Amino acid sequence: MKNYDAFGKILEDLSNLYQIPGNSEMKAKGYFALQALEKDLYSMSLLDRTQDVNRVTEVLHGKVGHLVPRTGGTPMNIEFYISPYQVLEAELNPGSQVCGIKTVVTIEGTDTLHKLPLSPLLVDSKAGEDSNPAFLPLTDEFSMDLPAFFVLKFHQPIPMSSSSIEEIQRLTGIQITGLKLAPLYELIVQSTLKEKCSEDLSTQKSCFFVSLPDCPKHCYFINKGSEKSDLAGAFISKIPFSHPKCVPGVIEILRHQVAYNSLISTCVSEKHINEVLIDVITSREVQCHLHLNPQDPTLNSSDDFIAKAVKRCMSVPVVMRAIFRNAAKVKADSETQDVEADTKQKPEPPCEQIMDSDSLEESLSVAGQQDLVVTDKPSITEGPKENLSTAELETLRDHTEKSSTTVSTETLCRVEESNSTASTEAVMINK
Protein backbone atom coordinates (compact mmCIF):
# COMPACT_ATOMS: atom_id res chain seq x y z
CA MET A 1 0.00 0.00 0.00
CA LYS A 2 3.10 2.23 0.21
CA ASN A 3 1.90 3.59 3.57
CA TYR A 4 5.39 3.61 5.04
CA ASP A 5 4.50 5.63 8.16
CA ALA A 6 1.85 3.13 9.27
CA PHE A 7 4.12 0.20 8.39
CA GLY A 8 6.96 1.71 10.40
CA LYS A 9 4.66 2.20 13.39
CA ILE A 10 3.59 -1.45 13.25
CA LEU A 11 7.22 -2.58 13.18
CA GLU A 12 8.04 -0.32 16.12
CA ASP A 13 5.13 -1.67 18.18
CA LEU A 14 6.08 -5.23 17.30
CA SER A 15 9.66 -4.58 18.37
CA ASN A 16 8.43 -3.20 21.70
CA LEU A 17 6.81 -6.56 22.47
CA TYR A 18 10.30 -8.05 22.73
CA GLN A 19 11.76 -5.42 25.08
CA ILE A 20 12.36 -8.01 27.79
CA PRO A 21 15.72 -8.54 29.56
CA GLY A 22 17.66 -11.64 28.58
CA ASN A 23 18.62 -13.53 25.46
CA SER A 24 16.48 -14.19 22.39
CA GLU A 25 15.01 -17.34 23.97
CA MET A 26 13.81 -15.34 26.98
CA LYS A 27 12.30 -12.70 24.72
CA ALA A 28 10.48 -15.41 22.76
CA LYS A 29 9.05 -16.83 26.00
CA GLY A 30 7.70 -13.38 26.80
CA TYR A 31 5.97 -13.25 23.43
CA PHE A 32 4.42 -16.69 24.02
CA ALA A 33 3.15 -15.50 27.41
CA LEU A 34 1.46 -12.50 25.78
CA GLN A 35 -0.15 -14.78 23.19
CA ALA A 36 -1.51 -17.03 25.96
CA LEU A 37 -2.96 -14.04 27.79
CA GLU A 38 -4.61 -12.70 24.64
CA LYS A 39 -6.27 -16.07 23.94
CA ASP A 40 -7.66 -16.24 27.48
CA LEU A 41 -8.98 -12.68 27.34
CA TYR A 42 -10.65 -13.33 23.99
CA SER A 43 -12.25 -16.51 25.36
CA MET A 44 -13.52 -14.56 28.39
CA SER A 45 -15.04 -11.95 26.09
CA LEU A 46 -17.19 -14.70 24.58
CA LEU A 47 -18.59 -15.84 27.95
CA ASP A 48 -22.29 -15.05 28.41
CA ARG A 49 -22.27 -13.40 25.01
CA THR A 50 -25.38 -13.58 22.86
CA GLN A 51 -25.55 -13.22 19.11
CA ASP A 52 -27.50 -9.98 19.20
CA VAL A 53 -25.33 -8.23 21.79
CA ASN A 54 -24.21 -4.74 20.70
CA ARG A 55 -20.92 -2.99 21.33
CA VAL A 56 -22.27 -0.64 24.01
CA THR A 57 -23.56 -3.56 26.06
CA GLU A 58 -20.18 -5.26 25.77
CA VAL A 59 -18.40 -2.09 26.82
CA LEU A 60 -20.51 -1.54 29.92
CA HIS A 61 -21.31 -5.10 30.99
CA GLY A 62 -18.89 -7.53 29.34
CA LYS A 63 -16.45 -9.33 31.61
CA VAL A 64 -13.54 -7.72 29.76
CA GLY A 65 -15.42 -4.95 27.96
CA HIS A 66 -15.39 -4.69 24.17
CA LEU A 67 -12.21 -6.45 23.07
CA VAL A 68 -10.35 -5.91 19.79
CA PRO A 69 -7.60 -8.55 19.19
CA ARG A 70 -4.01 -7.63 18.43
CA THR A 71 -2.95 -7.40 14.79
CA GLY A 72 0.79 -7.64 14.31
CA GLY A 73 2.39 -4.93 16.39
CA THR A 74 -0.90 -3.12 17.10
CA PRO A 75 -1.72 -4.28 20.65
CA MET A 76 -5.02 -5.71 21.81
CA ASN A 77 -7.29 -2.99 23.20
CA ILE A 78 -10.23 -3.14 25.60
CA GLU A 79 -12.98 -0.52 25.60
CA PHE A 80 -14.46 -0.61 29.11
CA TYR A 81 -16.56 2.55 29.63
CA ILE A 82 -18.77 4.82 27.56
CA SER A 83 -20.81 7.73 28.93
CA PRO A 84 -24.61 8.01 28.56
CA TYR A 85 -24.13 11.09 26.36
CA GLN A 86 -21.94 9.06 24.01
CA VAL A 87 -24.53 6.27 23.96
CA LEU A 88 -27.22 8.80 23.04
CA GLU A 89 -24.99 10.27 20.34
CA ALA A 90 -24.50 6.82 18.85
CA GLU A 91 -28.26 6.18 18.88
CA LEU A 92 -29.03 9.50 17.22
CA ASN A 93 -26.35 9.00 14.56
CA PRO A 94 -26.62 5.44 13.21
CA GLY A 95 -23.38 4.24 11.71
CA SER A 96 -21.25 6.60 13.78
CA GLN A 97 -18.50 5.07 15.86
CA VAL A 98 -18.41 6.75 19.26
CA CYS A 99 -15.31 5.72 21.20
CA GLY A 100 -15.31 5.27 24.95
CA ILE A 101 -12.32 4.87 27.27
CA LYS A 102 -9.84 2.18 26.27
CA THR A 103 -6.82 0.36 27.62
CA VAL A 104 -4.26 -1.63 25.66
CA VAL A 105 -2.92 -5.05 26.69
CA THR A 106 0.82 -5.63 26.37
CA ILE A 107 3.90 -6.96 28.17
CA GLU A 108 6.82 -5.07 29.69
CA GLY A 109 10.21 -6.05 31.03
CA THR A 110 10.96 -5.68 34.77
CA ASP A 111 13.87 -5.98 37.19
CA THR A 112 12.14 -8.78 39.12
CA LEU A 113 10.81 -12.21 38.09
CA HIS A 114 7.09 -12.94 37.76
CA LYS A 115 5.41 -16.27 37.07
CA LEU A 116 3.62 -15.87 33.74
CA PRO A 117 1.55 -18.47 31.84
CA LEU A 118 3.01 -19.81 28.59
CA SER A 119 -0.26 -21.37 27.39
CA PRO A 120 -3.98 -20.52 27.81
CA LEU A 121 -5.38 -21.31 31.26
CA LEU A 122 -9.15 -20.82 30.81
CA VAL A 123 -11.03 -24.10 31.16
CA ASP A 124 -13.39 -24.84 28.24
CA SER A 125 -14.41 -21.16 28.04
CA LYS A 126 -17.16 -21.82 30.60
CA ALA A 127 -17.79 -19.96 33.81
CA GLY A 128 -17.01 -21.76 37.02
CA GLU A 129 -18.58 -21.31 40.44
CA ASP A 130 -19.98 -17.87 41.32
CA SER A 131 -20.15 -17.18 37.54
CA ASN A 132 -16.40 -16.49 37.57
CA PRO A 133 -14.20 -18.03 34.83
CA ALA A 134 -12.40 -21.24 35.83
CA PHE A 135 -8.65 -21.52 35.18
CA LEU A 136 -6.06 -24.27 35.31
CA PRO A 137 -3.57 -23.98 38.18
CA LEU A 138 -0.45 -21.98 37.37
CA THR A 139 2.01 -24.89 37.59
CA ASP A 140 5.56 -25.18 36.26
CA GLU A 141 4.14 -27.06 33.29
CA PHE A 142 2.06 -24.08 32.13
CA SER A 143 4.17 -21.16 33.37
CA MET A 144 7.67 -19.76 33.70
CA ASP A 145 9.43 -17.15 35.81
CA LEU A 146 10.18 -14.24 33.50
CA PRO A 147 11.63 -10.72 34.06
CA ALA A 148 8.35 -9.22 32.84
CA PHE A 149 4.68 -8.68 33.64
CA PHE A 150 1.50 -7.96 31.69
CA VAL A 151 0.17 -4.39 31.74
CA LEU A 152 -3.01 -2.52 30.97
CA LYS A 153 -1.84 0.83 29.59
CA PHE A 154 -3.89 4.00 29.13
CA HIS A 155 -3.53 6.64 26.41
CA GLN A 156 -4.13 9.33 29.04
CA PRO A 157 -3.45 8.89 32.79
CA ILE A 158 -6.61 8.21 34.81
CA PRO A 159 -7.20 9.89 38.21
CA MET A 160 -7.85 7.10 40.71
CA SER A 161 -8.68 7.19 44.40
CA SER A 162 -6.31 5.63 46.92
CA SER A 163 -8.93 3.02 47.82
CA SER A 164 -9.30 1.97 44.17
CA ILE A 165 -5.53 1.70 43.79
CA GLU A 166 -5.27 -0.43 46.93
CA GLU A 167 -8.06 -2.69 45.70
CA ILE A 168 -6.31 -3.21 42.36
CA GLN A 169 -2.99 -3.98 44.05
CA ARG A 170 -4.69 -6.51 46.32
CA LEU A 171 -6.34 -8.11 43.29
CA THR A 172 -3.19 -8.36 41.16
CA GLY A 173 -0.67 -8.91 43.94
CA ILE A 174 1.70 -6.38 42.30
CA GLN A 175 2.52 -2.92 43.62
CA ILE A 176 2.01 0.07 41.34
CA THR A 177 5.16 2.15 41.70
CA GLY A 178 5.95 5.80 41.05
CA LEU A 179 2.65 7.12 42.41
CA LYS A 180 2.40 10.71 43.63
CA LEU A 181 -0.57 11.21 45.93
CA ALA A 182 -2.64 14.38 45.62
CA PRO A 183 -6.25 15.45 46.32
CA LEU A 184 -8.43 13.36 44.01
CA TYR A 185 -10.72 16.24 42.96
CA GLU A 186 -7.71 18.32 41.97
CA LEU A 187 -6.54 15.46 39.74
CA ILE A 188 -9.99 15.16 38.15
CA VAL A 189 -10.09 18.91 37.48
CA GLN A 190 -6.59 18.85 36.00
CA SER A 191 -7.42 15.88 33.76
CA THR A 192 -10.71 17.42 32.60
CA LEU A 193 -9.17 20.79 31.74
CA LYS A 194 -6.41 19.08 29.78
CA GLU A 195 -9.02 17.11 27.84
CA LYS A 196 -11.33 20.06 27.15
CA CYS A 197 -8.74 22.58 26.00
CA SER A 198 -5.25 22.57 24.59
CA GLU A 199 -3.98 25.58 26.54
CA ASP A 200 -2.63 25.24 30.05
CA LEU A 201 -5.16 26.51 32.56
CA SER A 202 -4.66 26.95 36.27
CA THR A 203 -6.25 24.23 38.38
CA GLN A 204 -6.09 26.33 41.52
CA LYS A 205 -9.57 27.76 40.94
CA SER A 206 -12.28 25.73 42.61
CA CYS A 207 -15.16 27.81 41.21
CA PHE A 208 -16.50 26.89 37.78
CA PHE A 209 -19.32 28.36 35.69
CA VAL A 210 -21.25 25.97 33.45
CA SER A 211 -23.83 27.16 30.90
CA LEU A 212 -26.69 25.10 29.51
CA PRO A 213 -29.16 26.07 26.78
CA ASP A 214 -32.30 27.81 28.07
CA CYS A 215 -30.93 27.73 31.61
CA PRO A 216 -29.13 30.23 33.86
CA LYS A 217 -25.44 29.75 34.50
CA HIS A 218 -24.54 27.19 37.15
CA CYS A 219 -21.74 27.95 39.60
CA TYR A 220 -19.97 24.92 41.11
CA PHE A 221 -17.46 24.97 43.95
CA ILE A 222 -15.25 21.87 44.08
CA ASN A 223 -13.68 21.11 47.44
CA LYS A 224 -10.36 19.60 46.42
CA GLY A 225 -9.70 18.19 49.88
CA SER A 226 -6.36 16.99 51.20
CA GLU A 227 -3.96 14.32 50.00
CA LYS A 228 -4.18 12.81 53.51
CA SER A 229 -7.96 12.51 53.42
CA ASP A 230 -10.09 9.65 52.11
CA LEU A 231 -10.32 11.56 48.83
CA ALA A 232 -6.62 11.29 48.00
CA GLY A 233 -5.59 9.74 44.71
CA ALA A 234 -3.00 9.54 41.97
CA PHE A 235 -2.69 9.45 38.19
CA ILE A 236 -2.47 5.88 36.87
CA SER A 237 -0.79 5.29 33.50
CA LYS A 238 -0.61 1.49 33.63
CA ILE A 239 -1.69 -1.44 35.77
CA PRO A 240 0.66 -4.45 36.03
CA PHE A 241 -0.64 -8.01 36.54
CA SER A 242 0.52 -11.60 35.96
CA HIS A 243 -2.65 -13.71 35.59
CA PRO A 244 -5.64 -13.37 33.21
CA LYS A 245 -8.10 -13.94 36.07
CA CYS A 246 -7.25 -10.45 37.40
CA VAL A 247 -8.55 -8.62 34.34
CA PRO A 248 -12.36 -8.79 34.90
CA GLY A 249 -12.00 -7.47 38.45
CA VAL A 250 -9.64 -4.68 37.38
CA ILE A 251 -12.00 -3.69 34.55
CA GLU A 252 -14.90 -3.38 37.00
CA ILE A 253 -12.84 -1.14 39.33
CA LEU A 254 -11.85 1.01 36.36
CA ARG A 255 -15.49 1.37 35.29
CA HIS A 256 -16.44 2.49 38.79
CA GLN A 257 -13.66 5.07 38.98
CA VAL A 258 -14.21 6.46 35.50
CA ALA A 259 -17.96 6.80 36.11
CA TYR A 260 -17.16 8.80 39.25
CA ASN A 261 -14.64 10.96 37.40
CA SER A 262 -17.11 11.58 34.58
CA LEU A 263 -19.75 12.82 37.00
CA ILE A 264 -17.39 15.27 38.72
CA SER A 265 -15.93 16.47 35.42
CA THR A 266 -19.34 17.73 34.25
CA CYS A 267 -19.01 20.50 36.84
CA VAL A 268 -15.65 21.65 35.45
CA SER A 269 -15.55 24.35 32.80
CA GLU A 270 -12.58 25.74 30.90
CA LYS A 271 -14.35 29.03 30.25
CA HIS A 272 -12.98 32.15 31.88
CA ILE A 273 -15.40 33.79 34.29
CA ASN A 274 -16.28 37.44 34.78
CA GLU A 275 -14.34 38.95 37.65
CA VAL A 276 -13.37 42.28 39.16
CA LEU A 277 -9.71 42.92 39.81
CA ILE A 278 -9.27 45.17 42.86
CA ASP A 279 -5.86 46.54 43.79
CA VAL A 280 -5.76 48.04 47.28
CA ILE A 281 -2.83 50.40 46.89
CA THR A 282 -3.26 52.15 50.25
CA SER A 283 -6.05 52.50 52.78
CA ARG A 284 -7.22 55.55 50.81
CA GLU A 285 -6.48 54.51 47.25
CA VAL A 286 -8.12 51.65 45.40
CA GLN A 287 -7.87 50.83 41.70
CA CYS A 288 -10.34 48.54 39.93
CA HIS A 289 -10.72 46.89 36.56
CA LEU A 290 -13.64 44.83 35.29
CA HIS A 291 -12.82 41.73 33.22
CA LEU A 292 -15.55 40.46 30.92
CA ASN A 293 -15.91 37.44 28.70
CA PRO A 294 -15.82 38.79 25.11
CA GLN A 295 -19.09 36.94 24.43
CA ASP A 296 -20.91 38.68 27.28
CA PRO A 297 -22.65 42.06 26.84
CA THR A 298 -21.07 45.19 28.28
CA LEU A 299 -22.08 46.20 31.79
CA ASN A 300 -21.61 49.95 31.16
CA SER A 301 -19.49 50.47 34.25
CA SER A 302 -16.15 52.23 33.97
CA ASP A 303 -13.18 51.44 36.19
CA ASP A 304 -13.66 54.84 37.82
CA PHE A 305 -17.28 54.06 38.67
CA ILE A 306 -16.26 50.72 40.26
CA ALA A 307 -13.42 52.32 42.20
CA LYS A 308 -15.79 54.93 43.64
CA ALA A 309 -18.22 52.17 44.62
CA VAL A 310 -15.48 50.20 46.38
CA LYS A 311 -14.30 53.27 48.32
CA ARG A 312 -17.88 54.05 49.32
CA CYS A 313 -18.72 50.64 50.80
CA MET A 314 -15.57 48.43 50.84
CA SER A 315 -17.76 45.43 50.06
CA VAL A 316 -17.25 43.27 46.97
CA PRO A 317 -20.80 41.81 46.92
CA VAL A 318 -22.36 45.26 47.24
CA VAL A 319 -20.09 46.58 44.47
CA MET A 320 -21.06 43.71 42.18
CA ARG A 321 -24.72 44.45 42.78
CA ALA A 322 -24.12 48.14 42.10
CA ILE A 323 -22.49 47.20 38.78
CA PHE A 324 -25.47 45.11 37.69
CA ARG A 325 -27.99 47.68 38.91
CA ASN A 326 -26.13 50.37 37.02
CA ALA A 327 -26.20 48.24 33.86
CA ALA A 328 -29.92 47.56 34.30
CA LYS A 329 -30.65 51.26 34.77
CA VAL A 330 -28.69 52.21 31.66
CA LYS A 331 -30.58 49.59 29.67
CA ALA A 332 -33.97 50.73 31.02
CA ASP A 333 -33.23 54.40 30.31
CA SER A 334 -32.06 53.50 26.81
CA GLU A 335 -35.28 51.56 26.12
CA THR A 336 -37.37 54.46 27.44
CA GLN A 337 -35.57 56.91 25.17
CA ASP A 338 -36.07 54.55 22.22
CA VAL A 339 -39.82 54.48 22.90
CA GLU A 340 -39.97 58.28 23.20
CA ALA A 341 -37.95 58.64 19.99
CA ASP A 342 -40.33 56.38 18.13
CA THR A 343 -43.30 58.37 19.46
CA LYS A 344 -41.87 61.77 18.60
CA GLN A 345 -40.28 60.45 15.39
CA LYS A 346 -37.08 62.25 16.03
CA PRO A 347 -33.73 60.88 17.20
CA GLU A 348 -32.58 61.19 20.80
CA PRO A 349 -28.95 61.31 21.90
CA PRO A 350 -27.64 57.92 23.09
CA CYS A 351 -27.82 57.25 26.80
CA GLU A 352 -24.51 57.97 28.44
CA GLN A 353 -22.89 55.72 30.98
CA ILE A 354 -23.95 56.42 34.57
CA MET A 355 -20.92 57.54 36.50
CA ASP A 356 -21.99 60.56 38.51
CA SER A 357 -21.94 60.55 42.31
CA ASP A 358 -25.73 60.73 42.59
CA SER A 359 -26.18 57.56 40.56
CA LEU A 360 -23.47 55.79 42.52
CA GLU A 361 -25.04 56.83 45.82
CA GLU A 362 -28.39 55.67 44.52
CA SER A 363 -27.11 52.20 43.53
CA LEU A 364 -25.32 51.63 46.81
CA SER A 365 -28.23 53.05 48.81
CA VAL A 366 -30.74 50.72 47.23
CA ALA A 367 -28.36 47.82 47.81
CA GLY A 368 -28.11 48.79 51.46
CA GLN A 369 -31.89 49.09 51.80
CA GLN A 370 -32.37 45.64 50.36
CA ASP A 371 -29.79 44.22 52.73
CA LEU A 372 -31.63 45.82 55.63
CA VAL A 373 -34.98 44.40 54.59
CA VAL A 374 -33.57 40.91 54.18
CA THR A 375 -31.87 41.08 57.55
CA ASP A 376 -35.01 42.17 59.34
CA LYS A 377 -37.18 39.50 57.69
CA PRO A 378 -35.16 36.30 57.19
CA SER A 379 -38.17 34.04 56.59
CA ILE A 380 -38.16 32.34 53.17
CA THR A 381 -41.91 32.59 52.80
CA GLU A 382 -41.77 36.37 53.24
CA GLY A 383 -39.40 36.78 50.28
CA PRO A 384 -42.04 38.23 47.91
CA LYS A 385 -43.00 40.84 50.49
CA GLU A 386 -39.40 41.87 50.98
CA ASN A 387 -38.76 42.37 47.27
CA LEU A 388 -42.03 44.22 46.91
CA SER A 389 -40.91 46.66 49.60
CA THR A 390 -37.67 47.24 47.76
CA ALA A 391 -39.53 47.66 44.50
CA GLU A 392 -41.81 50.26 46.12
CA LEU A 393 -38.77 52.16 47.36
CA GLU A 394 -37.33 52.11 43.86
CA THR A 395 -40.68 53.20 42.43
CA LEU A 396 -40.65 56.29 44.67
CA ARG A 397 -37.03 56.97 43.87
CA ASP A 398 -37.33 56.62 40.11
CA HIS A 399 -40.77 58.26 39.82
CA THR A 400 -39.39 61.41 38.24
CA GLU A 401 -37.13 59.47 35.84
CA LYS A 402 -39.27 56.61 34.53
CA SER A 403 -42.80 56.28 33.27
CA SER A 404 -45.39 54.50 35.39
CA THR A 405 -45.51 51.67 32.83
CA THR A 406 -41.81 50.91 33.26
CA VAL A 407 -42.05 50.95 37.07
CA SER A 408 -45.08 48.66 37.08
CA THR A 409 -43.31 46.21 34.81
CA GLU A 410 -40.21 46.16 37.01
CA THR A 411 -42.33 45.67 40.14
CA LEU A 412 -44.27 42.81 38.57
CA CYS A 413 -41.07 41.12 37.40
CA ARG A 414 -39.53 41.32 40.85
CA VAL A 415 -42.64 39.93 42.51
CA GLU A 416 -42.86 37.03 40.06
CA GLU A 417 -39.16 36.32 40.37
CA SER A 418 -39.37 36.36 44.16
CA ASN A 419 -42.40 34.08 44.16
CA SER A 420 -40.54 31.64 41.93
CA THR A 421 -37.49 31.72 44.21
CA ALA A 422 -39.55 31.23 47.35
CA SER A 423 -41.37 28.28 45.84
CA THR A 424 -38.16 26.63 44.72
CA GLU A 425 -36.53 27.02 48.13
CA ALA A 426 -39.63 25.69 49.87
CA VAL A 427 -39.62 22.56 47.71
CA MET A 428 -35.95 21.96 48.35
CA ILE A 429 -36.46 22.23 52.11
CA ASN A 430 -39.46 19.91 52.11
CA LYS A 431 -37.47 17.24 50.33
Side-chain angles (χ1 to χ4, degrees), residues 34-266:
L34 178 61
Q35 279 187 320
L37 170 68
E38 291 171 340
K39 291 179 181 179
D40 278 338
L41 293 181
Y42 181 74
S43 298
M44 278 192 283
S45 71
L46 300 179
L47 295 177
D48 303 327
R49 182 178 182 181
T50 59
Q51 292 182 349
D52 59 345
V53 67
N54 57 32
R55 183 177 67 90
V56 172
T57 301
E58 281 189 318
V59 170
L60 296 176
H61 303 287
K63 280 184 169 57
V64 291
H66 177 69
L67 184 147
V68 177
R70 175 173 59 88
T71 55
T74 304
M76 171 184 285
N77 70 78
I78 295 175
E79 187 178 8
F80 61 88
Y81 182 81
I82 187 170
S83 70
Y85 269 119
Q86 291 175 310
V87 174
L88 180 61
E89 182 180 351
E91 292 176 351
L92 296 177
N93 300 281
S96 64
Q97 189 74 0
V98 180
C99 294
I101 298 180
K102 298 180 180 181
T103 180
V104 298
V105 182
T106 186
I107 189 171
E108 287 187 358
T110 64
D111 296 331
T112 57
L113 295 177
H114 298 273
K115 187 177 289 295
L116 301 181
L118 297 180
S119 61
L121 300 176
L122 192 65
V123 180
D124 297 331
S125 299
K126 295 181 180 179
E129 297 181 0
D130 301 327
S131 71
N132 292 321
F135 295 91
L136 294 171
L138 199 60
T139 62
D140 293 339
E141 181 182 359
F142 301 109
S143 65
M144 181 178 181
D145 289 332
L146 295 173
F149 49 38
F150 304 128
V151 290
L152 297 176
K153 298 181 69 174
F154 307 102
H155 296 293
Q156 297 292 338
I158 296 179
M160 296 197 69
S161 66
S162 298
S163 59
S164 295
I165 295 173
E166 292 172 0
E167 191 174 356
I168 288 177
Q169 292 178 150
R170 179 188 58 78
L171 190 63
T172 62
I174 301 178
Q175 291 291 115
I176 303 177
T177 60
L179 298 181
K180 185 178 180 181
L181 290 180
L184 177 61
Y185 286 166
E186 183 176 346
L187 299 178
I188 295 175
V189 169
Q190 182 178 343
S191 176
T192 304
L193 290 177
K194 185 176 181 180
E195 180 182 349
K196 288 186 175 182
C197 56
S198 57
E199 60 179 305
D200 294 331
L201 294 179
S202 172
T203 60
Q204 299 302 317
K205 294 182 179 179
S206 60
C207 174
F208 298 96
F209 282 83
V210 179
S211 298
L212 297 176
D214 302 325
C215 182
K217 283 186 178 180
H218 298 204
C219 180
Y220 294 94
F221 295 86
I222 298 181
N223 182 5
K224 298 177 182 178
S226 168
E227 63 184 47
K228 296 182 180 180
S229 69
D230 295 335
L231 292 176
F235 279 121
I236 300 296
S237 299
K238 60 184 178 181
I239 297 176
F241 64 100
S242 59
H243 198 288
K245 68 179 181 181
C246 302
V247 176
V250 171
I251 291 296
E252 196 57 33
I253 296 172
L254 288 173
R255 283 174 176 149
H256 187 180
Q257 183 67 63
V258 171
Y260 185 86
N261 295 353
S262 299
L263 184 64
I264 301 300
S265 67
T266 59

Side-chain angles (χ1 to χ4, degrees), residues 278-316:
I278 302 177
D279 183 12
V280 183
I281 300 175
T282 67
S283 62
R284 301 175 182 83
E285 185 178 2
V286 178
Q287 290 183 352
C288 304
H289 183 66
L290 181 64
H291 297 270
L292 294 175
N293 189 314
Q295 299 177 351
D296 289 342
T298 178
L299 293 181
N300 296 306
S301 292
S302 68
D303 294 348
D304 183 58
F305 172 85
I306 301 172
K308 290 179 179 178
V310 172
K311 293 177 182 178
R312 180 72 68 178
C313 65
M314 290 303 287
S315 169
V316 175

